[in-house]
Amino acid sequence: FRMYAADTDSDSLQLYYIDLPRSQTASPTASTTSPTTSPTAAPSVSPSSSPTASPTLPPTISYDFYLAAEYGLSQLLPDNIELLTTDALTFSQDFERILETAYVDQKLVTLEFKDFWVKIEEIMEYSIDDIDVSLRTEFSNEEILKVESNIFCSEIVCKHIISRYDQLEFQEYVTERLRQHFAASTATQQQLETVQFSLLSMSDEPVSVNTNTAEERT
């Protein structure tokens, strides 16, 4: 910065200048805030829960024929009997799903879940609604618990099941699945290996259901 001045004491006017130091400009503004050190939070660790294992059933299906089948449960442990008699309805429904899956998974059988319906009617001649803990001792004393059921289906599907299912393969599959089902209430896997399932009998021909009382699965 330069400043001019006049000397008035001399005979002639003289001008001179003085250089003044420049003032320091203000320091630049501080840098903007540094970026965040970490990225945004990671997404949730697991996806939404997996779908249910069994397929969704159609709203309503009518079946005009059925096959009567009798199954046997043997070498059950006290814990297994307790599970069965404490909540017979839940047990029978779980057992029905196991049986249906066993039929669908047969190598020589071509079925879909919507083609048929397994319904357990009785265990040791007791309806499912009548089974409770009061029968625990009676069931424990039986060598084989006999399970009466019906397989509702169309005439074609019923005949297909009769002609194509493999009894040995079917029994092995259901036995393994029942052991897994009982595992939650049984102490050791070694004990579970005693549980056995068998197919005692099945209709030779489809039986017609009265048209007015055709079974419906809802």
Side-chain angles (χ1 to χ4, degrees), residues 56-75:
T56 303
L57 298 174
T60 302
I61 296 180
S62 296
Y63 303 97
D64 299 325
F65 288 81
Y66 71 93
L67 302 173
E70 183 179 54
Y71 308 111
L73 301 177
S74 59
Q75 301 184 54

Side-chain angles (χ1 to χ4, degrees), residues 74-81 83 174-197:
S74 59
Q75 301 184 54
L76 297 178
L77 300 173
D79 285 348
N80 308 149
I81 299 294
L83 179 67
V174 177
T175 295
E176 181 60 30
R177 290 293 299 273
L178 277 175
R179 289 174 179 176
Q180 294 173 7
H181 181 74
F182 286 132
S185 61
T186 305
T188 65
Q189 182 66 35
Q190 185 176 3
Q191 289 176 310
L192 284 175
E193 292 177 358
T194 64
V195 176
Q196 294 292 328
F197 165 85

